[in-house]
Amino acid sequence: MPPSVAPSHSARWSQRVVAAAARQPWLTLAIALALVGGSVWLAATQLRYKTQRNDLVSAEKDCQRRWQKYIDALGEDDDFVFVVRGSDRTRMIAAIESVAAKVCQRPESFDRVFHVVDLRALSSRALLQLPPDELAEVNARLDDLTPMLGVFSPIGWHTLSIETLLSRAASAQAAKARGEKLPSADRRLLAEIPTILQAATKFLRHQPVDGSVWSGSQADDSRLREPQYLFSSDGQLAFVLARPKHPSDSFTPMRDASDTARALLDEVRSDYSDLEFGLTGLPVLETDEMIASDEDSTFASWLALGGVALLYLVVYRGLRYPLLTMTTLLVGTALALGWCTLTIGHLNILSATFAVMLIGLGDYGVIWVAHYDERCRLGSDVNESLQHTAAHAGPGIITAAVTAALAFAATMLADFQAVAELGWIAGC
C-alpha cells in the first residue's frame, strides 16, 4: 500500500471551499445569482463603449497628445459625406440639392448640412477679397484713367479711341526699341493692347464681349456670380457634408444616422438612375467597423458556446453535466463583465471580444466534471466525490487558471492600450 501523502495547501483550500458550498447549497446559489444579477445590471447601466480608433491607444503617448491638442483647437466633429458620381454637371447639382433637402428634413439625425457656397452677396465687395499687391495694381490703373475719371472726364472719354491707343502704343514701342525706360503707364498699355484688339474684333464681328477688356481684370469671378457646389477637381464627383448627432454612448452611436443616410440615398437614387450614389466619411467607416465587430464577436461567442456545448453533449451523452458546465461558464463571463465595469468602465473594439476567449477556456469545468463523474461511478457518494475532486482536480485547475491569468496579464505590459485592457479583463 503506497504511503499516504498530505494534501497540499491548494488542495486543502479547495476542499474547504467545496465543503462550505456543499453545506449551504442554496446560499451558494443565491450569492452566485446576486453576483451575476449585479454584474449584468452594472454593465447594462454603467458600462460605456469607446468606438473611436484613438481609444485603442494610450492617451499618454506623444502622438495621442498631439492629436488631443488638434481636437481641442479645431473640434472633433466629423461629417457624413454623400457622394454623387456622374458626367452631367446639371444633373449632379440637382441630385445633391435633393440629397441636401432630404438631410435637412431629418433634424433628429443631422444638425448641419453643407453642400454649396453662395458668395453672390459679396460681389459688390469683390475688391475686399484681393491681396494688397493686387489692390496696389488696381490703384495704379485708376491713376492711368484719371483723364476719364477726373474733372475733365467728358473731354477725356472723347479722346479715348482705338486710334489714340494705337498711336500711344506705337510711341511706347518705339521708345522701348531705342532702349528707353518706359513709364509704368506705357508698360501697362502695351500689355493691354492685345486684349483690347481682341475685344474690338469681337465687337466688329457682332460677337459677345464677356467681362472687361482689360487683361488685368480677367481673373475668374464666377465664384461671385453663381453658387459654387462641392465638386472634385475633375468634375466627376459632387459632395454633400452632413454632421450627425451623437444620440447615445452605445457601441454604435452613429448607427441610426448611418441607416437614415443610406435610406435617403435609396430614395434619391430612384430619381437619378443615371448617377451613382455613395456614402463615406470617418463616422460612417467607424460605424461600419463597430457593427461588423459587434456582429462578428456576438456570432463568434454564440458559435463558441454552441460548439463547446455540443462537444460536452457528445462526451457526456446527457444534458445534466453539459448544462452545469455551460452555466458555470456563463456565470464566469457575467462576473468578468461586471469586473470590467467596476475597474475599467468601458469596452473597445478589441476588449469586446473577451467573451469568446473565456468560452474557449471552458475546459476547467470539463476537468472537474470528468473527475467527479469518475468518483461517482466508483461508488462514492456526492460529498465524498466532491471532496475527492477538490483535492485531486482542484490544485490542477487552480494552477492552470493562474497560468492562463498570468499569460493574459503579460499583455498588460504592451504599449497598446486596447490589448492591455483585454488582458486585464480576461486575466482577472
Side-chain angles (χ1 to χ4, degrees):
M1 182 176 181
S4 60
V5 179
S8 63
H9 176 74
S10 60
R12 292 194 300 271
W13 180 83
S14 179
Q15 284 180 309
R16 285 195 291 268
V17 171
V18 170
R23 285 193 299 270
Q24 300 289 341
W26 292 110
L27 178 61
T28 302
L29 288 175
I31 293 175
L33 289 175
L35 289 175
V36 170
S39 297
V40 172
W41 175 83
L42 192 64
T45 58
Q46 303 295 325
L47 187 63
R48 297 181 296 111
Y49 297 93
K50 291 191 174 183
T51 59
Q52 296 183 348
R53 291 186 182 91
N54 57 319
D55 294 326
L56 303 178
V57 184
S58 173
E60 301 302 319
K61 295 182 69 66
D62 290 339
C63 61
Q64 285 297 93
R65 290 178 177 176
R66 292 194 296 270
W67 174 250
Q68 191 59 49
K69 287 183 179 179
Y70 172 85
I71 294 297
D72 294 340
L74 301 178
E76 57 181 347
D77 291 331
D78 291 306
D79 293 326
F80 279 32
V81 181
F82 298 85
V83 184
V84 178
R85 183 176 183 177
S87 55
D88 188 337
R89 186 179 181 90
T90 303
R91 291 279 293 170
M92 294 171 69
I93 291 177
I96 62 176
E97 287 282 11
S98 179
V99 170
K102 289 184 178 296
V103 171
C104 292
Q105 295 172 3
R106 292 166 172 81
E108 72 283 356
S109 300
F110 303 97
D111 59 7
R112 181 182 67 188
V113 61
F114 176 62
H115 69 292
V116 61
V117 178
D118 192 349
L119 301 179
R120 288 177 293 181
L122 301 178
S123 59
S124 61
R125 297 174 176 82
L127 288 177
L128 299 178
Q129 314 299 318
L130 295 178
D133 56 338
E134 292 190 24
L135 285 175
E137 179 68 19
V138 171
N139 194 46
R141 290 179 180 278
L142 290 176
D143 291 340
D144 296 341
L145 296 175
T146 299
M148 272 70 72
L149 301 178
V151 293
F152 299 105
S153 58
I155 300 174
W157 280 109
H158 284 294
T159 61
L160 180 63
S161 64
I162 293 294
E163 290 81 1
T164 57
L165 288 175
L166 292 178
S167 176
R168 183 177 172 183
S171 300
Q173 187 66 31
K176 181 179 179 181
R178 293 193 298 269
E180 298 178 8
K181 184 177 181 180
L182 298 179
S184 59
D186 287 344
R187 291 197 302 270
R188 284 191 291 269
L189 176 61
L190 290 177
E192 300 286 359
I193 286 297
T195 305
I196 296 173
L197 293 178
Q198 290 175 5
T201 302
K202 288 183 178 181
F203 178 78
L204 293 174
R205 292 176 178 175
H206 303 288
Q207 297 176 353
V209 180
D210 298 327
S212 172
V213 299
W214 305 101
S215 61
S217 304
Q218 298 304 306
D220 181 17
D221 61 346
S222 60
R223 289 175 296 179
L224 301 177
R225 289 188 284 106
E226 57 187 23
Q228 300 297 302
Y229 293 88
L230 305 182
F231 274 84
S232 60
S233 58
D234 60 1
Q236 300 298 307
L237 301 176
F239 308 99
V240 177
L241 307 183
R243 183 175 67 182
K245 287 186 175 180
H246 295 258
S248 66
D249 194 28
S250 67
F251 194 60
T252 53
M254 299 292 181
R255 184 166 190 170
D256 291 341
S258 181
D259 293 342
T260 299
R262 288 189 167 94
L264 69 85
L265 279 183
D266 290 337
E267 296 175 12
V268 177
R269 187 180 286 111
S270 61
D271 297 328
Y272 298 91
S273 58
D274 55 322
L275 302 177
E276 298 179 41
F277 294 83
L279 183 66
T280 186
L282 187 59
V284 178
L285 298 177
E286 288 185 340
T287 298
D288 290 344
E289 289 175 355
M290 296 307 158
I291 291 175
S293 175
D294 188 23
E295 292 177 350
D296 291 347
S297 60
T298 301
F299 175 75
S301 298
W302 284 110
L303 184 62
L305 190 64
V308 172
L310 179 62
L311 180 62
Y312 290 169
L313 288 173
V314 173
V315 172
Y316 294 126
R317 299 182 183 277
L319 290 176
R320 182 186 178 192
Y321 288 156
L323 182 62
L324 292 175
T325 304
M326 298 307 298
T327 301
T328 305
L329 186 57
L330 293 176
V331 167
T333 303
L335 295 180
L337 194 61
W339 177 250
C340 167
T341 307
L342 283 176
T343 57
I344 299 179
H346 63 262
L347 289 174
N348 56 54
I349 191 172
L350 288 183
S351 59
T353 62
F354 78 94
V356 180
M357 296 186 177
L358 295 185
I359 293 173
L361 297 176
D363 53 348
Y364 301 146
V366 174
I367 297 173
W368 183 278
V369 170
H371 201 102
Y372 171 81
D373 183 59
E374 181 183 3
R375 293 305 302 177
C376 289
R377 291 178 183 276
L378 293 176
S380 301
D381 59 18
V382 172
N383 287 330
E384 183 181 353
S385 298
L386 286 174
Q387 288 296 312
H388 191 276
T389 301
H392 293 81
I397 292 176
I398 293 173
T399 301
V402 171
T403 301
L406 290 176
F408 280 117
T411 63
M412 295 171 58
L413 302 176
D415 196 28
F416 194 40
Q417 181 172 323
V419 175
E421 292 177 354
L422 176 61
W424 170 260
I425 298 170
C428 290

